[in-house]
Amino acid sequence: MAYRDTPPDLGALLREYDRARAYTDDLWRDLTPDEVTWRPHDDSSAIGWHLGHQAHVAHFMIRNLTAAEPSPDPELDGLMDSANPEKFRGALPTVQRLGAFRDTVAERVHARIGDIAAGRVGAPGQMAVVATHLLTALINHEYQHDQWIGEVRAENLGHALPDDPVSDRLSRIDGYLVLNPYA
């Protein structure tokens, strides 16, 4: 069966993924380690938890929807899972470890989506459809948590927000940046 419509270009979606991650970096890379691990109250999560959670979800989705592979940091899996109640999200790893985890996951996302885009997978057409929706979900999940990171950055820590990323595919819905891959 052929595509009814041409799916979005996976390379373009990877660039949108990189744009979302770069925006996340703009939100946290200039903060001190104490600011990254600070929690506004016991029933909230630190910026660092959101950073780890974004990467954890990206790895989890790539692993479960495209190719089984081990976690790049199994010790973080339970901590960064949103099923873990907020009051138990306080013992965060170092900022360096969080950054390395995020970078490793992003490299794996690129490698796996690159294989799919190049047809180096079984059922390449089907996997291209899966990868399109997977990347869209990962990008929108990144921006979802960026909203909270930005609120804590600006309202609680008193830092200016960076400019929104620029893309014809981005808009704000209910205050959140959202990617439409078909725009």
PDB file of all heavy atoms in Angstrom, residues 135-167:
ATOM      1  N   LEU A 135       8.657  11.468  16.453  1.00  0.00           N
ATOM      2  CA  LEU A 135       9.400  12.721  16.565  1.00  0.00           C
ATOM      3  C   LEU A 135       8.489  13.889  16.929  1.00  0.00           C
ATOM      4  O   LEU A 135       8.860  14.739  17.740  1.00  0.00           O
ATOM      5  CB  LEU A 135      10.133  13.028  15.257  1.00  0.00           C
ATOM      6  CG  LEU A 135      11.490  12.388  15.094  1.00  0.00           C
ATOM      7  CD1 LEU A 135      12.037  12.626  13.696  1.00  0.00           C
ATOM      8  CD2 LEU A 135      12.467  12.907  16.131  1.00  0.00           C
ATOM      9  N   THR A 136       7.318  13.931  16.342  1.00  0.00           N
ATOM     10  CA  THR A 136       6.368  14.999  16.673  1.00  0.00           C
ATOM     11  C   THR A 136       6.026  14.955  18.158  1.00  0.00           C
ATOM     12  O   THR A 136       6.016  15.986  18.839  1.00  0.00           O
ATOM     13  CB  THR A 136       5.101  14.881  15.814  1.00  0.00           C
ATOM     14  OG1 THR A 136       5.474  14.940  14.420  1.00  0.00           O
ATOM     15  CG2 THR A 136       4.107  15.986  16.128  1.00  0.00           C
ATOM     16  N   ALA A 137       5.778  13.766  18.671  1.00  0.00           N
ATOM     17  CA  ALA A 137       5.472  13.625  20.101  1.00  0.00           C
ATOM     18  C   ALA A 137       6.668  14.032  20.960  1.00  0.00           C
ATOM     19  O   ALA A 137       6.501  14.723  21.976  1.00  0.00           O
ATOM     20  CB  ALA A 137       5.044  12.190  20.412  1.00  0.00           C
ATOM     21  N   LEU A 138       7.875  13.631  20.574  1.00  0.00           N
ATOM     22  CA  LEU A 138       9.058  13.987  21.352  1.00  0.00           C
ATOM     23  C   LEU A 138       9.284  15.500  21.371  1.00  0.00           C
ATOM     24  O   LEU A 138       9.617  16.075  22.411  1.00  0.00           O
ATOM     25  CB  LEU A 138      10.299  13.293  20.803  1.00  0.00           C
ATOM     26  CG  LEU A 138      10.363  11.779  20.943  1.00  0.00           C
ATOM     27  CD1 LEU A 138      11.675  11.252  20.375  1.00  0.00           C
ATOM     28  CD2 LEU A 138      10.178  11.351  22.379  1.00  0.00           C
ATOM     29  N   ILE A 139       9.104  16.131  20.235  1.00  0.00           N
ATOM     30  CA  ILE A 139       9.283  17.584  20.144  1.00  0.00           C
ATOM     31  C   ILE A 139       8.249  18.286  21.010  1.00  0.00           C
ATOM     32  O   ILE A 139       8.582  19.176  21.802  1.00  0.00           O
ATOM     33  CB  ILE A 139       9.187  18.039  18.672  1.00  0.00           C
ATOM     34  CG1 ILE A 139      10.375  17.501  17.879  1.00  0.00           C
ATOM     35  CG2 ILE A 139       9.076  19.568  18.583  1.00  0.00           C
ATOM     36  CD1 ILE A 139      10.185  17.512  16.372  1.00  0.00           C
ATOM     37  N   ASN A 140       7.005  17.887  20.898  1.00  0.00           N
ATOM     38  CA  ASN A 140       5.955  18.538  21.680  1.00  0.00           C
ATOM     39  C   ASN A 140       6.099  18.244  23.171  1.00  0.00           C
ATOM     40  O   ASN A 140       5.789  19.096  24.007  1.00  0.00           O
ATOM     41  CB  ASN A 140       4.578  18.173  21.143  1.00  0.00           C
ATOM     42  CG  ASN A 140       4.307  18.891  19.836  1.00  0.00           C
ATOM     43  OD1 ASN A 140       4.747  20.013  19.625  1.00  0.00           O
ATOM     44  ND2 ASN A 140       3.586  18.248  18.939  1.00  0.00           N
ATOM     45  N   HIS A 141       6.611  17.073  23.522  1.00  0.00           N
ATOM     46  CA  HIS A 141       6.885  16.763  24.919  1.00  0.00           C
ATOM     47  C   HIS A 141       8.015  17.645  25.448  1.00  0.00           C
ATOM     48  O   HIS A 141       7.953  18.141  26.577  1.00  0.00           O
ATOM     49  CB  HIS A 141       7.229  15.273  25.064  1.00  0.00           C
ATOM     50  CG  HIS A 141       7.476  14.858  26.462  1.00  0.00           C
ATOM     51  ND1 HIS A 141       8.747  14.628  26.936  1.00  0.00           N
ATOM     52  CD2 HIS A 141       6.631  14.647  27.508  1.00  0.00           C
ATOM     53  CE1 HIS A 141       8.679  14.282  28.211  1.00  0.00           C
ATOM     54  NE2 HIS A 141       7.405  14.289  28.592  1.00  0.00           N
ATOM     55  N   GLU A 142       9.036  17.846  24.642  1.00  0.00           N
ATOM     56  CA  GLU A 142      10.139  18.735  25.029  1.00  0.00           C
ATOM     57  C   GLU A 142       9.590  20.129  25.333  1.00  0.00           C
ATOM     58  O   GLU A 142       9.877  20.714  26.377  1.00  0.00           O
ATOM     59  CB  GLU A 142      11.184  18.789  23.906  1.00  0.00           C
ATOM     60  CG  GLU A 142      12.446  19.525  24.265  1.00  0.00           C
ATOM     61  CD  GLU A 142      13.494  18.672  24.970  1.00  0.00           C
ATOM     62  OE1 GLU A 142      13.355  17.437  25.062  1.00  0.00           O
ATOM     63  OE2 GLU A 142      14.477  19.272  25.446  1.00  0.00           O
ATOM     64  N   TYR A 143       8.776  20.652  24.418  1.00  0.00           N
ATOM     65  CA  TYR A 143       8.207  21.991  24.618  1.00  0.00           C
ATOM     66  C   TYR A 143       7.229  22.031  25.797  1.00  0.00           C
ATOM     67  O   TYR A 143       7.124  23.051  26.486  1.00  0.00           O
ATOM     68  CB  TYR A 143       7.519  22.484  23.350  1.00  0.00           C
ATOM     69  CG  TYR A 143       8.480  22.910  22.261  1.00  0.00           C
ATOM     70  CD1 TYR A 143       8.298  22.478  20.956  1.00  0.00           C
ATOM     71  CD2 TYR A 143       9.550  23.761  22.532  1.00  0.00           C
ATOM     72  CE1 TYR A 143       9.166  22.887  19.940  1.00  0.00           C
ATOM     73  CE2 TYR A 143      10.425  24.156  21.531  1.00  0.00           C
ATOM     74  CZ  TYR A 143      10.228  23.725  20.237  1.00  0.00           C
ATOM     75  OH  TYR A 143      11.087  24.123  19.244  1.00  0.00           O
ATOM     76  N   GLN A 144       6.526  20.946  26.029  1.00  0.00           N
ATOM     77  CA  GLN A 144       5.599  20.897  27.170  1.00  0.00           C
ATOM     78  C   GLN A 144       6.362  21.155  28.470  1.00  0.00           C
ATOM     79  O   GLN A 144       5.952  21.973  29.290  1.00  0.00           O
ATOM     80  CB  GLN A 144       4.902  19.537  27.209  1.00  0.00           C
ATOM     81  CG  GLN A 144       4.018  19.326  28.414  1.00  0.00           C
ATOM     82  CD  GLN A 144       3.514  17.890  28.504  1.00  0.00           C
ATOM     83  OE1 GLN A 144       3.914  17.011  27.736  1.00  0.00           O
ATOM     84  NE2 GLN A 144       2.623  17.647  29.437  1.00  0.00           N
ATOM     85  N   HIS A 145       7.465  20.467  28.647  1.00  0.00           N
ATOM     86  CA  HIS A 145       8.244  20.648  29.866  1.00  0.00           C
ATOM     87  C   HIS A 145       9.030  21.957  29.858  1.00  0.00           C
ATOM     88  O   HIS A 145       9.303  22.527  30.919  1.00  0.00           O
ATOM     89  CB  HIS A 145       9.137  19.434  30.115  1.00  0.00           C
ATOM     90  CG  HIS A 145       8.347  18.266  30.583  1.00  0.00           C
ATOM     91  ND1 HIS A 145       8.064  18.040  31.911  1.00  0.00           N
ATOM     92  CD2 HIS A 145       7.710  17.281  29.887  1.00  0.00           C
ATOM     93  CE1 HIS A 145       7.310  16.967  32.024  1.00  0.00           C
ATOM     94  NE2 HIS A 145       7.080  16.485  30.809  1.00  0.00           N
ATOM     95  N   ASP A 146       9.364  22.462  28.671  1.00  0.00           N
ATOM     96  CA  ASP A 146      10.015  23.767  28.586  1.00  0.00           C
ATOM     97  C   ASP A 146       9.126  24.865  29.159  1.00  0.00           C
ATOM     98  O   ASP A 146       9.629  25.840  29.726  1.00  0.00           O
ATOM     99  CB  ASP A 146      10.361  24.105  27.138  1.00  0.00           C
ATOM    100  CG  ASP A 146      11.548  23.336  26.606  1.00  0.00           C
ATOM    101  OD1 ASP A 146      12.242  22.666  27.397  1.00  0.00           O
ATOM    102  OD2 ASP A 146      11.776  23.398  25.378  1.00  0.00           O
ATOM    103  N   GLN A 147       7.830  24.714  29.001  1.00  0.00           N
ATOM    104  CA  GLN A 147       6.906  25.712  29.545  1.00  0.00           C
ATOM    105  C   GLN A 147       7.081  25.814  31.060  1.00  0.00           C
ATOM    106  O   GLN A 147       7.208  26.900  31.608  1.00  0.00           O
ATOM    107  CB  GLN A 147       5.455  25.351  29.191  1.00  0.00           C
ATOM    108  CG  GLN A 147       4.429  26.340  29.696  1.00  0.00           C
ATOM    109  CD  GLN A 147       4.525  27.690  29.029  1.00  0.00           C
ATOM    110  OE1 GLN A 147       4.998  27.812  27.895  1.00  0.00           O
ATOM    111  NE2 GLN A 147       4.103  28.725  29.727  1.00  0.00           N
ATOM    112  N   TRP A 148       7.108  24.678  31.741  1.00  0.00           N
ATOM    113  CA  TRP A 148       7.267  24.690  33.192  1.00  0.00           C
ATOM    114  C   TRP A 148       8.656  25.184  33.577  1.00  0.00           C
ATOM    115  O   TRP A 148       8.813  25.982  34.498  1.00  0.00           O
ATOM    116  CB  TRP A 148       7.007  23.300  33.776  1.00  0.00           C
ATOM    117  CG  TRP A 148       6.912  23.348  35.271  1.00  0.00           C
ATOM    118  CD1 TRP A 148       5.781  23.543  36.010  1.00  0.00           C
ATOM    119  CD2 TRP A 148       7.985  23.248  36.204  1.00  0.00           C
ATOM    120  NE1 TRP A 148       6.090  23.554  37.355  1.00  0.00           N
ATOM    121  CE2 TRP A 148       7.445  23.375  37.498  1.00  0.00           C
ATOM    122  CE3 TRP A 148       9.356  23.057  36.078  1.00  0.00           C
ATOM    123  CZ2 TRP A 148       8.213  23.327  38.650  1.00  0.00           C
ATOM    124  CZ3 TRP A 148      10.133  23.011  37.234  1.00  0.00           C
ATOM    125  CH2 TRP A 148       9.552  23.135  38.495  1.00  0.00           C
ATOM    126  N   ILE A 149       9.687  24.717  32.859  1.00  0.00           N
ATOM    127  CA  ILE A 149      11.052  25.178  33.133  1.00  0.00           C
ATOM    128  C   ILE A 149      11.113  26.696  33.001  1.00  0.00           C
ATOM    129  O   ILE A 149      11.693  27.385  33.842  1.00  0.00           O
ATOM    130  CB  ILE A 149      12.068  24.490  32.189  1.00  0.00           C
ATOM    131  CG1 ILE A 149      12.162  22.986  32.498  1.00  0.00           C
ATOM    132  CG2 ILE A 149      13.436  25.154  32.283  1.00  0.00           C
ATOM    133  CD1 ILE A 149      12.926  22.182  31.450  1.00  0.00           C
ATOM    134  N   GLY A 150      10.502  27.220  31.949  1.00  0.00           N
ATOM    135  CA  GLY A 150      10.499  28.663  31.726  1.00  0.00           C
ATOM    136  C   GLY A 150       9.776  29.418  32.827  1.00  0.00           C
ATOM    137  O   GLY A 150      10.207  30.502  33.243  1.00  0.00           O
ATOM    138  N   GLU A 151       8.668  28.868  33.295  1.00  0.00           N
ATOM    139  CA  GLU A 151       7.925  29.532  34.373  1.00  0.00           C
ATOM    140  C   GLU A 151       8.762  29.605  35.643  1.00  0.00           C
ATOM    141  O   GLU A 151       8.822  30.653  36.303  1.00  0.00           O
ATOM    142  CB  GLU A 151       6.609  28.797  34.632  1.00  0.00           C
ATOM    143  CG  GLU A 151       5.601  28.978  33.522  1.00  0.00           C
ATOM    144  CD  GLU A 151       4.395  28.057  33.634  1.00  0.00           C
ATOM    145  OE1 GLU A 151       4.290  27.292  34.623  1.00  0.00           O
ATOM    146  OE2 GLU A 151       3.551  28.094  32.709  1.00  0.00           O
ATOM    147  N   VAL A 152       9.431  28.517  36.005  1.00  0.00           N
ATOM    148  CA  VAL A 152      10.271  28.523  37.201  1.00  0.00           C
ATOM    149  C   VAL A 152      11.461  29.457  36.989  1.00  0.00           C
ATOM    150  O   VAL A 152      11.825  30.240  37.877  1.00  0.00           O
ATOM    151  CB  VAL A 152      10.724  27.094  37.569  1.00  0.00           C
ATOM    152  CG1 VAL A 152      11.789  27.119  38.659  1.00  0.00           C
ATOM    153  CG2 VAL A 152       9.525  26.271  38.016  1.00  0.00           C
ATOM    154  N   ARG A 153      12.061  29.390  35.818  1.00  0.00           N
ATOM    155  CA  ARG A 153      13.202  30.252  35.492  1.00  0.00           C
ATOM    156  C   ARG A 153      12.838  31.723  35.678  1.00  0.00           C
ATOM    157  O   ARG A 153      13.580  32.481  36.311  1.00  0.00           O
ATOM    158  CB  ARG A 153      13.649  29.991  34.056  1.00  0.00           C
ATOM    159  CG  ARG A 153      14.736  30.906  33.567  1.00  0.00           C
ATOM    160  CD  ARG A 153      14.978  30.741  32.065  1.00  0.00           C
ATOM    161  NE  ARG A 153      15.890  31.748  31.605  1.00  0.00           N
ATOM    162  CZ  ARG A 153      17.201  31.657  31.622  1.00  0.00           C
ATOM    163  NH1 ARG A 153      17.776  30.568  32.080  1.00  0.00           N
ATOM    164  NH2 ARG A 153      17.963  32.642  31.190  1.00  0.00           N
ATOM    165  N   ALA A 154      11.703  32.131  35.126  1.00  0.00           N
ATOM    166  CA  ALA A 154      11.326  33.544  35.151  1.00  0.00           C
ATOM    167  C   ALA A 154      10.658  33.956  36.466  1.00  0.00           C
ATOM    168  O   ALA A 154      11.062  34.943  37.087  1.00  0.00           O
ATOM    169  CB  ALA A 154      10.399  33.849  33.976  1.00  0.00           C
ATOM    170  N   GLU A 155       9.658  33.205  36.882  1.00  0.00           N
ATOM    171  CA  GLU A 155       8.834  33.625  38.019  1.00  0.00           C
ATOM    172  C   GLU A 155       9.491  33.348  39.364  1.00  0.00           C
ATOM    173  O   GLU A 155       9.338  34.130  40.294  1.00  0.00           O
ATOM    174  CB  GLU A 155       7.471  32.950  37.943  1.00  0.00           C
ATOM    175  CG  GLU A 155       6.662  33.387  36.729  1.00  0.00           C
ATOM    176  CD  GLU A 155       5.423  32.540  36.493  1.00  0.00           C
ATOM    177  OE1 GLU A 155       4.959  31.839  37.424  1.00  0.00           O
ATOM    178  OE2 GLU A 155       4.930  32.569  35.346  1.00  0.00           O
ATOM    179  N   ASN A 156      10.202  32.227  39.486  1.00  0.00           N
ATOM    180  CA  ASN A 156      10.791  31.868  40.774  1.00  0.00           C
ATOM    181  C   ASN A 156      12.266  32.248  40.891  1.00  0.00           C
ATOM    182  O   ASN A 156      12.717  32.614  41.976  1.00  0.00           O
ATOM    183  CB  ASN A 156      10.647  30.366  41.037  1.00  0.00           C
ATOM    184  CG  ASN A 156       9.198  29.947  41.128  1.00  0.00           C
ATOM    185  OD1 ASN A 156       8.665  29.383  40.183  1.00  0.00           O
ATOM    186  ND2 ASN A 156       8.553  30.216  42.247  1.00  0.00           N
ATOM    187  N   LEU A 157      12.997  32.139  39.795  1.00  0.00           N
ATOM    188  CA  LEU A 157      14.434  32.397  39.848  1.00  0.00           C
ATOM    189  C   LEU A 157      14.801  33.786  39.331  1.00  0.00           C
ATOM    190  O   LEU A 157      15.955  34.213  39.477  1.00  0.00           O
ATOM    191  CB  LEU A 157      15.199  31.318  39.076  1.00  0.00           C
ATOM    192  CG  LEU A 157      15.009  29.884  39.593  1.00  0.00           C
ATOM    193  CD1 LEU A 157      15.695  28.882  38.672  1.00  0.00           C
ATOM    194  CD2 LEU A 157      15.522  29.757  41.022  1.00  0.00           C
ATOM    195  N   GLY A 158      13.855  34.482  38.686  1.00  0.00           N
ATOM    196  CA  GLY A 158      14.086  35.854  38.254  1.00  0.00           C
ATOM    197  C   GLY A 158      14.971  36.032  37.040  1.00  0.00           C
ATOM    198  O   GLY A 158      15.541  37.100  36.828  1.00  0.00           O
ATOM    199  N   HIS A 159      15.083  35.019  36.209  1.00  0.00           N
ATOM    200  CA  HIS A 159      15.885  35.110  34.983  1.00  0.00           C
ATOM    201  C   HIS A 159      14.985  35.417  33.789  1.00  0.00           C
ATOM    202  O   HIS A 159      13.869  34.900  33.698  1.00  0.00           O
ATOM    203  CB  HIS A 159      16.623  33.793  34.712  1.00  0.00           C
ATOM    204  CG  HIS A 159      17.666  33.471  35.728  1.00  0.00           C
ATOM    205  ND1 HIS A 159      18.901  34.081  35.761  1.00  0.00           N
ATOM    206  CD2 HIS A 159      17.652  32.591  36.765  1.00  0.00           C
ATOM    207  CE1 HIS A 159      19.604  33.585  36.761  1.00  0.00           C
ATOM    208  NE2 HIS A 159      18.875  32.682  37.391  1.00  0.00           N
ATOM    209  N   ALA A 160      15.505  36.205  32.873  1.00  0.00           N
ATOM    210  CA  ALA A 160      14.772  36.502  31.640  1.00  0.00           C
ATOM    211  C   ALA A 160      14.619  35.225  30.816  1.00  0.00           C
ATOM    212  O   ALA A 160      15.454  34.316  30.880  1.00  0.00           O
ATOM    213  CB  ALA A 160      15.517  37.556  30.832  1.00  0.00           C
ATOM    214  N   LEU A 161      13.545  35.178  30.053  1.00  0.00           N
ATOM    215  CA  LEU A 161      13.323  34.046  29.152  1.00  0.00           C
ATOM    216  C   LEU A 161      14.002  34.314  27.816  1.00  0.00           C
ATOM    217  O   LEU A 161      14.028  35.452  27.337  1.00  0.00           O
ATOM    218  CB  LEU A 161      11.827  33.833  28.917  1.00  0.00           C
ATOM    219  CG  LEU A 161      11.043  33.309  30.109  1.00  0.00           C
ATOM    220  CD1 LEU A 161       9.552  33.300  29.793  1.00  0.00           C
ATOM    221  CD2 LEU A 161      11.512  31.911  30.477  1.00  0.00           C
ATOM    222  N   PRO A 162      14.528  33.276  27.191  1.00  0.00           N
ATOM    223  CA  PRO A 162      15.061  33.449  25.838  1.00  0.00           C
ATOM    224  C   PRO A 162      13.909  33.645  24.857  1.00  0.00           C
ATOM    225  O   PRO A 162      12.751  33.347  25.172  1.00  0.00           O
ATOM    226  CB  PRO A 162      15.788  32.126  25.571  1.00  0.00           C
ATOM    227  CG  PRO A 162      15.095  31.129  26.447  1.00  0.00           C
ATOM    228  CD  PRO A 162      14.638  31.896  27.660  1.00  0.00           C
ATOM    229  N   ASP A 163      14.224  34.155  23.692  1.00  0.00           N
ATOM    230  CA  ASP A 163      13.208  34.272  22.651  1.00  0.00           C
ATOM    231  C   ASP A 163      12.720  32.888  22.261  1.00  0.00           C
ATOM    232  O   ASP A 163      13.478  31.910  22.321  1.00  0.00           O
ATOM    233  CB  ASP A 163      13.788  34.959  21.405  1.00  0.00           C
ATOM    234  CG  ASP A 163      14.116  36.429  21.653  1.00  0.00           C
ATOM    235  OD1 ASP A 163      13.505  37.032  22.563  1.00  0.00           O
ATOM    236  OD2 ASP A 163      14.981  36.949  20.937  1.00  0.00           O
ATOM    237  N   ASP A 164      11.459  32.817  21.856  1.00  0.00           N
ATOM    238  CA  ASP A 164      10.920  31.559  21.334  1.00  0.00           C
ATOM    239  C   ASP A 164      11.713  31.142  20.101  1.00  0.00           C
ATOM    240  O   ASP A 164      12.187  31.996  19.336  1.00  0.00           O
ATOM    241  CB  ASP A 164       9.456  31.722  20.921  1.00  0.00           C
ATOM    242  CG  ASP A 164       8.496  31.712  22.080  1.00  0.00           C
ATOM    243  OD1 ASP A 164       8.918  31.450  23.231  1.00  0.00           O
ATOM    244  OD2 ASP A 164       7.295  31.981  21.836  1.00  0.00           O
ATOM    245  N   PRO A 165      11.839  29.857  19.894  1.00  0.00           N
ATOM    246  CA  PRO A 165      12.469  29.399  18.654  1.00  0.00           C
ATOM    247  C   PRO A 165      11.612  29.815  17.465  1.00  0.00           C
ATOM    248  O   PRO A 165      10.396  30.001  17.592  1.00  0.00           O
ATOM    249  CB  PRO A 165      12.514  27.879  18.812  1.00  0.00           C
ATOM    250  CG  PRO A 165      11.584  27.545  19.915  1.00  0.00           C
ATOM    251  CD  PRO A 165      11.389  28.768  20.741  1.00  0.00           C
ATOM    252  N   VAL A 166      12.254  29.946  16.322  1.00  0.00           N
ATOM    253  CA  VAL A 166      11.551  30.396  15.124  1.00  0.00           C
ATOM    254  C   VAL A 166      11.435  29.238  14.141  1.00  0.00           C
ATOM    255  O   VAL A 166      12.441  28.627  13.762  1.00  0.00           O
ATOM    256  CB  VAL A 166      12.288  31.581  14.467  1.00  0.00           C
ATOM    257  CG1 VAL A 166      11.602  31.999  13.176  1.00  0.00           C
ATOM    258  CG2 VAL A 166      12.379  32.753  15.437  1.00  0.00           C
ATOM    259  N   SER A 167      10.203  28.930  13.768  1.00  0.00           N
ATOM    260  CA  SER A 167       9.922  27.897  12.780  1.00  0.00           C
ATOM    261  C   SER A 167       8.504  28.102  12.266  1.00  0.00           C
ATOM    262  O   SER A 167       7.613  28.435  13.051  1.00  0.00           O
ATOM    263  CB  SER A 167      10.047  26.499  13.397  1.00  0.00           C
ATOM    264  OG  SER A 167       9.572  25.508  12.505  1.00  0.00           O
TER     265      SER A 167
END
